[in-house]
Amino acid sequence: MDFQALKERFYATGSLSAAEGLYVLTDAPLKELLAFSHAVTEEHAPGHFDLCSICNVKSGRCSEDCHWCAQSRRYATEVAEYGVLAPEAVCAQAKAQHAYGVGRFALVASGRRQTGADFMRLLDVYAALGELEGLKLCASLGLCTKEQLQDLKAAGVKRIHCNLETAPSFFPQICSTHGIEEKIRVIKDAQSLGLEVCSGGILGLGESLEQRVEFCLTLRSLNVRSIPLNILHPIAGTPLSKAPRLLKEEFWRVVALFRLTIPDAWLRFAGGRAQYDADFTRVALYAGVNASIVGNLLTTAGREIENDLRLFKEAGYAL
């Protein structure tokens, strides 16, 4: 495949085929690829950098066996375990993040699905967060039912987060306690209710390059426009504790793949970036990352917000 032919194909169709996506991940000349992805970002993607932060509102004791996750009760990871946090504690965290200009705030809770008293407590937390002016609320609460999604919408939630994590063909190899079709059901239910959707995944789980393309094309088929791109951060005690670290170039090529496949998406830095240096971040921003989770993540530390904001501004983004 010729790179000029790839560019012409993109301008003719506005996206990439599976074969072209694989070429982006393998043989496309990197310098030219990143420059093209940058140009497409400037032409098609939102120019305002989208910042969000998350609160690990309920931690540990999860019934699922996701092979990367410190919060599964099946693995000895020494992760903190606690129930749903009090509204006052969550609001204090939200205010601190909002002071930095972070416009979105998400509650993330461990577990397959939130039920009973836990779900009611979460609705109480959202009611308290709703009193904070100018903050958009998001929810990452597992495999919600459609009725729960309706309740969350009524409580002020604007966006539902439900990561596919990886390609449908690879998902059974990294989780056996639920299927990717259940995640797709949540996404479609949320969309049917008029909720925004955020869905991405984790790179470096052991998936093939072909499966990275499949993952991207699946998100495109679901019309997802907010896409967190996590990088596996191996955690001691999990089945993926010895997984090799993703190479920098691999991530940059994935950013280009997503930008050329879904040109108007928010491509969001998420977990795992703290393993790399500032130049890694700068190149990824140039290639098309235009959103980020900032601050601490779930069970791993994020980068300092001040440093991140400086890098985002240096890349030319309005915050």
Side-chain angles (χ1 to χ4, degrees):
M1 186 176 293
D2 175 77
F3 188 67
Q4 183 59 36
L6 175 84
K7 293 172 68 174
E8 291 173 359
R9 158 83 176 175
F10 173 83
Y11 284 125
T13 66
S15 190
L16 297 182
S17 67
E20 290 160 342
L22 187 59
Y23 172 68
V24 164
L25 295 183
T26 55
D27 297 328
L30 184 61
K31 184 177 180 179
E32 290 89 338
L33 173 65
L34 297 181
F36 182 48
S37 184
H38 175 75
V40 171
T41 301
E42 290 194 321
E43 184 176 355
H44 293 281
H48 184 85
F49 203 88
D50 190 53
L51 296 172
C52 66
S53 62
I54 62 177
C55 172
N56 191 18
V57 72
K58 174 188 169 189
S59 182
R61 302 191 291 267
C62 181
S63 63
E64 307 305 281
D65 70 350
C66 306
H67 291 186
W68 65 88
C69 187
Q71 300 211 53
S72 173
R73 69 187 182 200
R74 299 162 187 264
Y75 313 134
T77 63
E78 300 182 357
V79 69
E81 296 183 357
Y82 52 82
V84 176
L85 295 176
E88 296 78 12
V90 178
C91 286
Q93 182 175 332
K95 289 177 182 178
Q97 302 295 320
H98 195 45
Y100 283 100
V102 179
R104 295 184 180 276
F105 189 76
L107 302 184
V108 185
S110 67
R112 176 187 179 91
R113 177 183 295 118
Q114 309 311 307
T115 58
D118 277 355
F119 186 72
M120 299 308 295
R121 291 189 191 101
L122 289 165
L123 293 179
D124 290 341
V125 175
Y126 277 115
L129 289 170
E131 299 296 320
L132 304 180
E133 186 176 353
L135 194 64
K136 297 178 181 178
L137 302 180
C138 307
S140 183
L141 305 178
L143 300 175
C144 294
T145 66
K146 192 167 187 177
E147 292 73 22
Q148 287 179 321
L149 295 173
Q150 290 173 323
D151 290 341
L152 290 168
K153 182 178 180 180
V157 171
K158 303 298 184 184
R159 177 177 287 177
I160 298 297
H161 171 264
C162 186
N163 271 352
L164 291 188
E165 305 301 1
T166 190
S169 67
F170 186 66
F171 189 85
Q173 297 183 49
I174 46 90
C175 180
S176 69
T177 49
H178 60 271
I180 202 168
E181 67 280 354
E182 296 175 80
K183 292 173 170 287
I184 291 173
R185 189 269 304 163
V186 174
I187 290 170
K188 291 183 175 179
D189 281 349
Q191 290 170 331
S192 74
L193 294 171
L195 288 160
E196 299 175 16
V197 168
C198 181
S199 181
I202 307 172
L203 301 165
L205 296 171
E207 74 283 358
S208 68
L209 296 181
E210 290 84 358
Q211 286 165 330
R212 288 179 189 169
V213 175
E214 179 192 349
F215 167 50
C216 179
L217 294 179
T218 302
L219 287 169
R220 183 179 70 180
S221 72
L222 291 169
N223 199 32
V224 173
R225 290 298 181 271
S226 175
I227 303 173
L229 295 175
N230 295 269
I231 302 168
L232 178 68
H233 189 164
I235 295 173
T238 65
L240 292 175
S241 62
K242 303 298 184 182
R245 190 168 79 163
L246 196 78
L247 299 176
K248 294 180 182 181
E249 180 180 323
E250 289 183 88
F251 185 76
W252 297 336
R253 286 183 178 274
V254 167
V255 172
L257 167 68
F258 274 84
R259 178 56 65 209
L260 299 181
T261 303
I262 314 174
D264 60 347
W266 298 104
L267 301 182
R268 190 176 303 275
F269 280 136
R273 181 166 57 96
Q275 302 171 88
Y276 302 87
D277 59 16
D279 284 340
F280 167 84
T281 295
R282 290 188 180 96
V283 175
L285 290 166
Y286 176 77
V289 170
N290 60 339
S292 184
I293 301 173
V294 292
N296 287 336
L297 304 174
L298 292 180
T299 60
T300 59
R303 302 184 71 88
E304 293 183 5
I305 291 180
E306 295 91 343
N307 290 341
D308 275 345
L309 297 183
R310 175 178 52 81
L311 288 171
F312 303 157
K313 290 177 181 177
E314 286 177 359
Y317 283 109
L319 300 178

